[in-house]
Amino acid sequence: MVYLYIFKTSIHVYFIYFCVVAFRRKLKADLSAAFPSLSADELSELVPNKEELNVVKIYAHKGDAVTVYVLHKNPLFFEVDKKLFPTVYVLWRYPALLPAFKTWPPVLQKLTGGADLMLPGVVVPSCGLPDVKQGDSCAVTLVNNRAPVAVGTAAVATEQMHSLGMKGRGVCILHTYMDYLWAFGDKSGPPSLPDAESEEVDKCVEEQSSPEETVTDQAHSGFEELSLVEQDEEKGEKSNEKEEETQDEQKTPQEVMDAMLLQCFLHALKSKVKKSELPLLTSTFLRNYMFSCCPSGKQLDIKKSSYKKLSKFLQTMEQRYNIVRVKELTKGVESIVEVDWKNPELRSFSFPEDTDVESTPLPDGEEGEIPYHPPEITTLYSVSARLEPLFLNANKRKGATLHPAEVRSIVTEYVKSNELKSEYQEVVSLKWDDLFSRTLGRMQECYQAVFPGQPPIIKKGHIEPIDITVASRGSNKKVTLIKNLEVYGLDPAVVASVLQHRVQASSVLQPVPGAKDRVLVQIQGNQIQQEFKIFESSFSFIIIPSSAQIKSFCLLFYFQIIIRFLGNAFKD
């Protein structure tokens, strides 16, 4: 199994649940089988019985479903295709958990950019390379520090590395320091763990007088090899560009359009389409994916190509390259049902620099490289006048905002310090959960929104969700209305522009009745399903449909099942 760098781009959380006792026992057994070097005490530290341990289901690069185990807000392990891998947070505590390959510090920048560890960049210690087989989990460390900075799988066995002359791919990188999985935790840096071998080398360097025999020469030679490889790649790219320019001049307009069509097709599959979006309508694939990958200053027109039709082009891609599989799920409507992500033609494709890639809009509508990040919203409770005596011992006055956990601890301390018994009335027993719920019910609910790089904003009441509804205009016209974008730092004008480009429909901004400085976005047609996908992909929102929308989706789903059942019955 060949794994790709799955945490290079942003991750989307779609499910979180608490780890129960039975699941913890199973997780300990799986970790003990995957990492036999872990002792029972170390397993108990990683998977405690009473502390909060969460299981997070996420969608990573290319829509891969990954399970992440989180303890104290730090990801400890992640599971891909039923195989467990430790994160850098765990390896910093147990650096000897995986066999490690050593490399030079400048290579780390290449690894975080999505490259695999190549064998010319591996530093061979005096004791030799670690003994691994192809596909075994391994770590990557830097010279003079044993703290791992990357996790991956061995591309080839150790014996093959020597037989290949230390050339080619050495480690397929899955997760690195400073990637999006690392950013899911507390974003701490690697500790300084001195390497015993590097210390001995330093002592030898101090004793020896001739610098030509020192390890620094090995470093310079390693850097020279890397720089020579990069120079060769740059020369090759420049020569390829010149050849492409001369070839484009000799090609006919039809051949140029065929080449552009293939380029947009591969670009869209490699950078935009996710596994979770399949099956995908071919018309949607052309309109929402291929058109956005067209080079700047050029226009994609299938009628000017030799294929003339999209169905004929996709049929050629299926038969010649075997990249996609197209199937007619309903009569007259074709969909892409399968994509071969490991296809050599698709994996070797590189993104052209002149492509007008659609950037993620910023909250203020300005251009820049910083993508939009949704705010962190926390529910708070404000102390009311009736409950102020309850919080006086904690120095909390009327209007002070508290987290639910703070309210729980203050109420618990109040009950324990004051024996709440009456001499004239019977003692009424009350469960802790009922006491906390009643206390919170008599407090003013608030919320705190924290935008990146801005101070927290605290407001009273419930936070208004983004409201997406469908309204009728005239006899048979429908429009989609989107409200409350300003609450989440989104510019309605920017959102309207993105939606208009994606769904190919007109958009209008209108003022919200009864609200100051609020506008709503109106899109022509019923675009709810498309807007759900756009908000999840472009703005990192997790969309939860309303009860009415869920009912309509369920009715449509059951209706389709009944139609298929009747159709099969008539065939029989």
Side-chain angles (χ1 to χ4, degrees):
M1 176 66 73
V2 178
Y3 298 101
L4 300 176
Y5 188 15
I6 56 179
F7 301 111
K8 179 181 177 181
T9 59
S10 58
I11 57 180
H12 302 282
V13 179
Y14 69 92
F15 194 65
I16 301 176
Y17 60 89
F18 181 75
C19 229
V20 296
V21 177
F23 191 87
R24 293 177 192 237
R25 283 198 291 265
K26 181 181 180 301
L27 180 59
K28 283 184 179 180
D30 294 340
L31 291 176
S32 178
F35 310 105
S37 60
L38 288 174
S39 63
D41 295 337
E42 291 173 343
L43 286 174
S44 300
E45 290 180 3
L46 293 172
V47 188
N49 293 327
K50 296 184 179 180
E51 298 182 27
E52 184 178 0
L53 179 66
N54 294 323
V55 180
V56 182
K57 302 282 188 177
I58 63 173
Y59 281 130
H61 186 47
K62 290 295 182 183
D64 296 309
V66 182
T67 304
V68 182
Y69 301 95
V70 181
L71 177 67
H72 298 154
K73 298 183 179 180
N74 274 345
L76 298 183
F77 298 91
F78 62 95
E79 185 176 355
V80 184
D81 293 336
K82 297 182 180 181
K83 185 175 182 180
L84 286 167
F85 297 91
T87 64
V88 290
Y89 292 108
V90 172
L91 292 177
W92 292 341
R93 296 169 59 182
Y94 308 102
L97 187 61
L98 294 180
F101 290 86
K102 191 184 302 182
T103 186
W104 305 104
V107 182
L108 177 59
Q109 185 178 3
K110 302 288 185 181
L111 300 182
T112 55
D116 293 331
L117 179 62
M118 309 304 288
L119 290 177
V122 175
V123 178
V124 181
S126 59
C127 58
L129 295 175
D131 187 15
V132 295
K133 298 180 181 179
Q134 185 178 7
D136 287 354
S137 302
C138 52
V140 178
T141 62
L142 301 179
V143 175
N144 298 330
N145 193 357
R146 290 191 305 114
V149 294
V151 180
T153 57
V156 292
T158 306
E159 298 176 356
Q160 293 178 329
M161 293 181 186
H162 293 291
S163 62
L164 293 173
M166 295 302 290
K167 293 182 180 180
R169 183 178 283 103
V171 179
C172 299
I173 301 299
L174 289 173
H175 156 57
T176 65
Y177 163 60
M178 295 184 68
D179 67 359
Y180 280 87
L181 181 61
W182 166 83
F184 196 74
D186 59 10
K187 301 181 182 180
S188 58
S192 179
L193 303 177
D195 192 358
E197 182 178 354
S198 62
E199 291 180 353
E200 294 177 0
V201 170
D202 292 338
K203 292 180 181 179
C204 294
V205 170
E206 293 176 358
E207 294 175 357
Q208 292 177 357
S209 58
S210 58
E212 296 177 353
E213 299 177 357
T214 61
V215 182
T216 55
D217 284 343
Q218 298 178 8
H220 288 305
S221 63
F223 291 139
E224 288 175 359
E225 290 180 3
L226 292 175
S227 61
L228 289 174
V229 172
E230 292 178 356
Q231 289 176 3
D232 293 340
E233 291 179 354
E234 291 177 359
K235 291 179 181 178
E237 291 177 358
K238 291 180 179 179
S239 61
N240 291 336
E241 289 178 358
K242 292 181 180 178
E243 291 178 0
E244 289 176 359
E245 290 177 358
T246 55
Q247 289 177 0
D248 289 341
E249 293 176 357
Q250 298 175 357
K251 288 181 180 178
T252 62
Q254 193 176 67
E255 292 176 346
V256 172
M257 187 57 64
D258 288 348
M260 189 188 304
L261 197 63
L262 178 60
Q263 172 186 320
C264 296
F265 171 75
L266 296 175
H267 191 173
L269 287 180
K270 192 167 184 178
S271 64
K272 295 183 178 294
V273 179
K274 300 177 181 178
K275 290 182 182 179
S276 57
E277 296 176 342
L278 299 179
L280 180 65
L281 293 176
T282 57
S283 57
T284 305
F285 174 68
L286 174 66
R287 182 176 66 251
N288 296 347
Y289 296 89
M290 289 184 63
F291 282 162
S292 61
C293 296
C294 185
S296 58
K298 298 181 181 180
Q299 187 175 2
L300 190 65
D301 191 352
I302 296 182
K303 293 182 179 180
K304 294 181 180 180
S305 67
S306 60
Y307 304 100
K308 305 300 181 183
K309 293 183 179 180
L310 178 63
S311 58
K312 187 177 179 181
F313 169 74
L314 294 176
Q315 184 180 4
T316 305
M317 295 298 104
E318 182 177 4
Q319 295 176 355
R320 181 181 301 176
Y321 299 104
N322 198 22
I323 298 177
V324 296
R325 190 164 68 88
V326 181
K327 190 175 181 180
E328 191 174 315
L329 297 180
T330 58
K331 188 176 181 180
V333 181
E334 292 184 340
S335 300
I336 299 175
V337 296
E338 187 178 346
V339 178
D340 184 10
W341 307 107
K342 300 177 183 178
N343 188 281
E345 191 75 20
L346 183 60
R347 295 190 64 179
S348 61
F349 175 76
S350 58
F351 302 125
E353 296 180 357
D354 59 343
T355 305
D356 186 15
V357 181
E358 181 183 348
S359 59
T360 306
L362 296 174
D364 53 2
E366 298 178 359
E367 295 182 355
E369 296 182 355
I370 303 175
Y372 169 78
H373 294 284
E376 295 182 4
I377 300 171
T378 308
T379 302
L380 302 177
Y381 291 89
S382 176
V383 178
S384 60
R386 295 176 59 186
L387 297 180
E388 186 176 7
L390 185 62
F391 297 91
L392 285 178
N393 293 335
N395 296 325
K396 303 296 182 182
R397 301 291 179 178
K398 177 184 176 183
T401 55
L402 302 171
H403 289 270
E406 293 179 304
V407 176
R408 187 184 187 96
S409 62
I410 293 174
V411 172
T412 303
E413 184 64 26
Y414 184 86
V415 172
K416 291 181 178 180
S417 59
N418 301 280
E419 297 180 359
L420 301 180
K421 296 181 180 180
S422 175
E423 298 178 358
Y424 306 102
Q425 298 178 0
E426 295 182 358
V427 177
V428 178
S429 61
L430 190 64
K431 294 183 179 180
W432 284 105
D433 291 339
D434 295 337
L435 175 61
F436 297 140
S437 61
R438 291 186 185 184
T439 304
L440 295 176
R442 285 168 172 77
M443 298 178 69
Q444 174 68 45
E445 186 172 348
C446 310
Y447 69 89
Q448 174 183 277
V450 180
F451 292 91
Q454 298 182 16
I457 300 173
I458 299 177
K459 292 186 178 181
K460 294 182 179 180
H462 296 275
I463 187 169
E464 297 176 303
I466 295 179
D467 187 9
I468 304 177
T469 56
V470 178
S472 299
R473 296 287 187 268
S475 58
N476 196 23
K477 293 183 179 180
K478 294 185 181 297
V479 293
T480 306
L481 306 177
I482 308 173
K483 303 178 184 177
N484 304 328
L485 294 172
E486 299 88 348
V487 178
Y488 299 88
L490 289 169
D491 188 353
V494 177
V495 176
S497 176
V498 173
L499 295 175
Q500 182 178 0
H501 177 74
R502 291 286 188 90
V503 303
Q504 298 294 312
S506 62
S507 62
V508 182
L509 298 180
Q510 294 182 352
V512 178
K516 294 181 180 180
D517 301 329
R518 291 280 187 93
V519 294
L520 60 85
V521 179
Q522 177 178 308
I523 305 292
Q524 184 179 3
N526 186 348
Q527 310 290 350
I528 284 186
Q529 294 185 1
Q530 291 292 334
E531 289 172 4
F532 282 178
K533 296 179 181 179
I534 292 171
F535 271 96
E536 289 180 358
S537 60
S538 297
F539 303 104
S540 302
F541 276 93
I542 300 176
I543 304 298
I544 301 177
S546 62
S547 58
Q549 292 169 349
I550 293 175
K551 290 180 181 178
S552 63
F553 292 157
C554 292
L555 290 175
L556 179 62
F557 176 71
Y558 289 134
F559 181 73
Q560 291 176 349
I561 292 178
I562 293 172
I563 293 297
R564 291 182 182 179
F565 177 76
L566 293 176
N568 294 332
F570 283 120
K571 287 181 182 179
D572 297 337

